[in-house]
Amino acid sequence: MSKKLRIGALASGGGTNLQAIIDRCQDGSLPAEIVLIISNNQDAGALERARKAGIPALCIDHRSYASREEFDRTIVGALQDAEIDLVILAGFMRIISEIFVEAFPNRIMNIHPALLPAFPGLHVQRKALEYGVRFSGCTVHFVDTGTDTGPIIIQAVVPVLDSDTEATLSARILVQEHQIYPRAIQLFAEGRLRVEGRRVSIDPPDDYCPQSLTNPTLR
Ligand code: GRF
Protein backbone atom coordinates (compact mmCIF):
# COMPACT_ATOMS: atom_id res chain seq x y z
CA MET A 1 0.00 0.00 0.00
CA SER A 2 1.35 3.47 -0.84
CA LYS A 3 2.23 5.80 2.00
CA LYS A 4 -0.67 7.85 3.36
CA LEU A 5 -0.48 11.63 3.08
CA ARG A 6 0.44 13.09 6.47
CA ILE A 7 -1.72 16.10 7.30
CA GLY A 8 -1.24 18.78 9.94
CA ALA A 9 -4.40 20.78 10.66
CA LEU A 10 -4.70 24.24 12.19
CA ALA A 11 -8.04 25.34 13.59
CA SER A 12 -9.27 28.06 15.93
CA GLY A 13 -12.98 27.31 16.18
CA GLY A 14 -15.63 24.62 16.12
CA GLY A 15 -13.87 22.48 13.56
CA THR A 16 -16.72 21.13 11.43
CA ASN A 17 -14.47 21.14 8.35
CA LEU A 18 -11.82 19.38 10.36
CA GLN A 19 -14.40 16.78 11.38
CA ALA A 20 -15.46 16.20 7.76
CA ILE A 21 -11.82 15.48 6.92
CA ILE A 22 -11.26 13.28 10.00
CA ASP A 23 -14.34 11.26 8.99
CA ARG A 24 -13.10 10.74 5.41
CA CYS A 25 -9.68 9.68 6.67
CA GLN A 26 -11.24 7.25 9.10
CA ASP A 27 -13.67 5.68 6.64
CA GLY A 28 -10.81 5.17 4.19
CA SER A 29 -12.23 7.35 1.40
CA LEU A 30 -9.36 9.82 1.80
CA PRO A 31 -5.87 8.26 1.53
CA ALA A 32 -4.56 10.51 4.28
CA GLU A 33 -4.02 10.70 8.00
CA ILE A 34 -4.28 13.75 10.23
CA VAL A 35 -1.23 13.31 12.43
CA LEU A 36 -1.30 16.62 14.31
CA ILE A 37 -3.91 19.24 15.14
CA ILE A 38 -2.81 22.65 16.37
CA SER A 39 -5.06 25.35 17.76
CA ASN A 40 -4.21 28.82 19.03
CA ASN A 41 -7.36 28.72 21.16
CA GLN A 42 -7.59 26.37 24.11
CA ASP A 43 -11.41 26.40 23.95
CA ALA A 44 -11.54 25.40 20.28
CA GLY A 45 -14.03 22.65 19.51
CA ALA A 46 -11.34 21.37 17.17
CA LEU A 47 -9.24 20.27 20.16
CA GLU A 48 -12.15 18.27 21.55
CA ARG A 49 -12.65 16.66 18.14
CA ALA A 50 -8.94 15.75 18.12
CA ARG A 51 -9.24 14.16 21.53
CA LYS A 52 -12.30 12.11 20.49
CA ALA A 53 -10.56 10.94 17.33
CA GLY A 54 -7.35 10.08 19.21
CA ILE A 55 -5.28 12.54 17.17
CA PRO A 56 -2.32 14.28 18.86
CA ALA A 57 -3.14 17.95 19.45
CA LEU A 58 -1.31 21.03 20.63
CA CYS A 59 -2.57 24.36 21.85
CA ILE A 60 -0.08 27.08 20.92
CA ASP A 61 -1.40 30.41 22.15
CA HIS A 62 -0.33 33.29 19.89
CA ARG A 63 -0.58 35.67 22.86
CA SER A 64 2.48 34.04 24.41
CA TYR A 65 4.67 35.17 21.49
CA ALA A 66 6.20 38.58 20.93
CA SER A 67 5.67 38.52 17.16
CA ARG A 68 3.72 36.73 14.44
CA GLU A 69 7.01 35.36 13.09
CA GLU A 70 7.98 33.85 16.42
CA PHE A 71 4.55 32.20 16.74
CA ASP A 72 4.78 30.88 13.18
CA ARG A 73 8.30 29.51 13.74
CA THR A 74 6.99 27.46 16.66
CA ILE A 75 4.12 26.09 14.58
CA VAL A 76 6.38 25.33 11.61
CA GLY A 77 8.76 23.50 13.95
CA ALA A 78 5.95 21.34 15.34
CA LEU A 79 4.69 20.53 11.84
CA GLN A 80 8.17 19.68 10.60
CA ASP A 81 8.83 17.46 13.63
CA ALA A 82 5.63 15.60 12.76
CA GLU A 83 6.85 15.15 9.14
CA ILE A 84 3.79 16.76 7.65
CA ASP A 85 3.21 16.56 3.86
CA LEU A 86 0.26 18.96 3.75
CA VAL A 87 -0.96 21.68 6.12
CA ILE A 88 -4.67 22.45 6.17
CA LEU A 89 -6.13 25.60 7.66
CA ALA A 90 -9.62 24.80 8.89
CA GLY A 91 -11.05 27.96 10.37
CA PHE A 92 -7.63 29.11 11.59
CA MET A 93 -8.16 32.74 12.54
CA ARG A 94 -4.57 33.97 12.27
CA ILE A 95 -2.83 35.49 9.30
CA ILE A 96 0.23 33.43 8.57
CA SER A 97 3.59 35.00 7.80
CA GLU A 98 6.03 34.49 4.95
CA ILE A 99 8.11 32.24 7.20
CA PHE A 100 5.24 29.76 7.37
CA VAL A 101 4.33 29.96 3.66
CA GLU A 102 7.94 29.51 2.59
CA ALA A 103 8.36 26.46 4.83
CA PHE A 104 5.51 24.69 2.97
CA PRO A 105 5.37 26.08 -0.59
CA ASN A 106 2.10 25.03 -2.28
CA ARG A 107 1.60 22.65 0.61
CA ILE A 108 -0.80 24.75 2.69
CA MET A 109 -4.52 24.77 1.89
CA ASN A 110 -7.29 26.99 3.19
CA ILE A 111 -11.08 26.98 2.91
CA HIS A 112 -12.86 30.29 2.52
CA PRO A 113 -16.65 30.75 2.68
CA ALA A 114 -17.03 32.88 -0.47
CA LEU A 115 -16.26 32.68 -4.16
CA LEU A 116 -12.80 34.22 -4.23
CA PRO A 117 -11.62 36.69 -5.36
CA ALA A 118 -14.98 38.11 -4.23
CA PHE A 119 -15.21 38.81 -0.51
CA PRO A 120 -11.81 37.96 0.98
CA GLY A 121 -11.29 38.49 4.71
CA LEU A 122 -13.84 38.20 7.51
CA HIS A 123 -17.66 38.19 7.83
CA VAL A 124 -17.93 37.35 4.17
CA GLN A 125 -21.38 35.75 4.19
CA ARG A 126 -22.74 39.03 5.58
CA LYS A 127 -20.82 40.99 2.95
CA ALA A 128 -22.22 38.78 0.17
CA LEU A 129 -25.76 39.42 1.43
CA GLU A 130 -25.18 43.15 1.77
CA TYR A 131 -23.71 43.34 -1.71
CA GLY A 132 -26.72 41.57 -3.18
CA VAL A 133 -24.94 38.83 -5.13
CA ARG A 134 -27.18 36.04 -6.42
CA PHE A 135 -24.57 33.36 -5.90
CA SER A 136 -21.92 32.78 -3.31
CA GLY A 137 -20.12 29.65 -2.22
CA CYS A 138 -16.76 28.48 -1.01
CA THR A 139 -13.21 28.13 -2.23
CA VAL A 140 -10.36 25.79 -1.39
CA HIS A 141 -7.06 27.39 -2.34
CA PHE A 142 -3.36 27.08 -1.75
CA VAL A 143 -2.07 29.67 0.67
CA ASP A 144 0.36 32.33 -0.47
CA THR A 145 1.56 35.39 1.40
CA GLY A 146 -1.61 37.41 0.71
CA THR A 147 -4.94 37.17 2.49
CA ASP A 148 -7.14 34.66 0.63
CA THR A 149 -5.22 35.26 -2.61
CA GLY A 150 -3.55 31.91 -3.36
CA PRO A 151 -4.16 29.64 -6.38
CA ILE A 152 -7.71 28.25 -6.43
CA ILE A 153 -8.19 24.47 -6.33
CA ILE A 154 -11.97 23.93 -6.09
CA GLN A 155 -15.00 26.16 -5.71
CA ALA A 156 -18.63 25.30 -5.01
CA VAL A 157 -21.48 27.67 -5.79
CA VAL A 158 -24.69 28.11 -3.82
CA PRO A 159 -27.60 30.44 -4.55
CA VAL A 160 -28.24 33.44 -2.31
CA LEU A 161 -31.97 33.65 -1.60
CA ASP A 162 -33.98 36.77 -0.85
CA SER A 163 -35.04 35.16 2.42
CA ASP A 164 -31.46 34.42 3.52
CA THR A 165 -29.93 35.60 6.75
CA GLU A 166 -26.23 35.40 7.48
CA ALA A 167 -26.95 32.17 9.37
CA THR A 168 -28.93 30.43 6.62
CA LEU A 169 -26.45 31.39 3.92
CA SER A 170 -23.50 30.28 6.09
CA ALA A 171 -25.19 26.93 6.72
CA ARG A 172 -25.81 26.37 2.99
CA ILE A 173 -22.19 27.20 2.22
CA LEU A 174 -20.86 25.00 5.04
CA VAL A 175 -22.53 21.91 3.55
CA GLN A 176 -20.48 22.51 0.40
CA GLU A 177 -17.30 23.24 2.37
CA HIS A 178 -17.53 19.77 3.87
CA GLN A 179 -17.65 18.31 0.35
CA ILE A 180 -14.95 20.26 -1.44
CA TYR A 181 -12.26 20.38 1.24
CA PRO A 182 -11.85 16.60 1.49
CA ARG A 183 -11.99 16.40 -2.31
CA ALA A 184 -9.18 18.97 -2.74
CA ILE A 185 -7.06 17.01 -0.25
CA GLN A 186 -7.80 13.80 -2.13
CA LEU A 187 -6.61 15.37 -5.41
CA PHE A 188 -3.43 16.49 -3.65
CA ALA A 189 -2.92 13.03 -2.13
CA GLU A 190 -3.31 11.48 -5.57
CA GLY A 191 -0.62 13.83 -6.93
CA ARG A 192 -3.07 15.32 -9.41
CA LEU A 193 -2.66 19.05 -8.66
CA ARG A 194 -0.24 21.12 -10.77
CA VAL A 195 0.30 24.77 -9.89
CA GLU A 196 1.46 27.11 -12.64
CA GLY A 197 1.38 30.75 -11.59
CA ARG A 198 -2.15 31.42 -10.37
CA ARG A 199 -3.67 28.42 -12.08
CA VAL A 200 -4.09 24.96 -10.62
CA SER A 201 -4.74 22.18 -13.10
CA ILE A 202 -6.01 18.73 -12.28
CA ASP A 203 -4.25 15.91 -14.05
CA PRO A 204 -5.88 13.70 -15.15
CA PRO A 205 -8.79 16.15 -15.37
CA ASP A 206 -12.25 15.74 -13.90
CA ASP A 207 -14.11 16.66 -17.07
CA TYR A 208 -17.72 17.35 -16.36
CA CYS A 209 -19.46 20.36 -17.76
CA PRO A 210 -22.78 21.18 -16.10
CA GLN A 211 -25.25 23.55 -17.70
CA SER A 212 -25.02 27.15 -16.59
CA LEU A 213 -26.94 28.28 -13.54
CA THR A 214 -29.18 31.29 -13.15
CA ASN A 215 -30.59 32.66 -9.94
CA PRO A 216 -33.49 33.44 -10.05
CA THR A 217 -34.23 30.60 -12.45
CA LEU A 218 -35.33 31.45 -15.99
CA ARG A 219 -38.64 29.75 -16.65
C1 GRF B 1 -15.66 28.04 7.74
O1 GRF B 1 -16.72 28.79 7.24
C2 GRF B 1 -14.42 28.25 6.90
O2 GRF B 1 -14.73 28.47 5.55
C3 GRF B 1 -13.82 29.47 7.51
O3 GRF B 1 -14.04 29.34 8.89
C4 GRF B 1 -15.18 28.52 9.11
C5 GRF B 1 -14.71 27.40 9.99
O4 GRF B 1 -15.77 26.58 10.36
N1 GRF B 1 -12.42 29.60 7.14
P1 GRF B 1 -15.47 25.22 11.11
O5 GRF B 1 -14.60 25.58 12.32
O6 GRF B 1 -14.77 24.31 10.16
O7 GRF B 1 -16.81 24.72 11.53
Side-chain angles (χ1 to χ4, degrees):
M1 208 179 83
S2 59
K3 184 180 157 282
K4 279 189 183 171
L5 183 81
R6 293 172 66 82
I7 296 176
L10 272 58
S12 304
T16 65
N17 276 288
L18 179 67
Q19 190 64 52
I21 295 160
I22 292 173
D23 292 346
R24 300 283 181 99
C25 291
Q26 286 182 342
D27 72 16
S29 58
L30 193 54
E33 186 184 1
I34 301 185
V35 294
L36 179 63
I37 293 173
I38 300 176
S39 183
N40 60 317
N41 167 17
Q42 63 172 359
D43 300 322
L47 290 176
E48 177 61 13
R49 292 178 194 274
R51 199 189 55 73
K52 282 202 179 122
I55 299 170
L58 292 174
C59 178
I60 303 179
D61 189 337
H62 57 279
R63 292 170 301 189
S64 319
Y65 295 84
S67 68
R68 194 181 295 283
E69 285 71 23
E70 220 179 289
F71 172 64
D72 279 7
R73 262 190 215 102
T74 306
I75 292 191
V76 165
L79 293 167
Q80 287 172 338
D81 287 349
E83 298 181 357
I84 296 302
D85 301 310
L86 176 69
V87 180
I88 61 167
L89 308 183
F92 185 60
M93 302 308 285
R94 306 291 306 163
I95 290 174
I96 69 175
S97 67
E98 241 170 88
I99 289 171
F100 195 158
V101 175
E102 281 164 11
F104 295 95
N106 288 335
R107 289 197 294 138
I108 309 172
M109 283 185 193
N110 183 42
I111 180 112
H112 182 76
L115 290 176
L116 292 170
F119 310 119
L122 296 174
H123 311 299
V124 298
Q125 297 93 335
R126 190 196 311 158
K127 287 178 188 160
L129 279 173
E130 285 170 359
Y131 197 93
V133 291
R134 290 296 187 184
F135 289 101
S136 190
C138 45
T139 304
V140 182
H141 63 94
F142 284 116
V143 173
D144 64 10
T145 50
T147 302
D148 302 322
T149 53
I152 291 171
I153 304 166
I154 306 189
Q155 295 185 304
V157 178
V158 303
V160 180
L161 307 180
D162 290 346
S163 55
D164 268 331
T165 61
E166 193 179 345
T168 58
L169 178 60
S170 300
R172 189 175 308 117
I173 292 171
L174 201 57
V175 171
Q176 298 307 316
E177 293 185 36
H178 298 165
Q179 300 300 317
I180 67 170
Y181 212 175
R183 179 75 179 137
I185 295 167
Q186 185 182 343
L187 291 170
F188 184 94
E190 291 171 353
R192 291 174 62 194
L193 299 180
R194 306 260 172 286
V195 185
E196 281 170 42
R198 281 217 49 81
R199 295 193 62 174
V200 178
S201 55
I202 298 172
D203 180 24
D206 282 338
D207 279 339
Y208 162 67
C209 188
Q211 297 191 355
S212 64
L213 296 170
T214 63
N215 175 32
T217 315
L218 306 184
R219 293 183 199 275

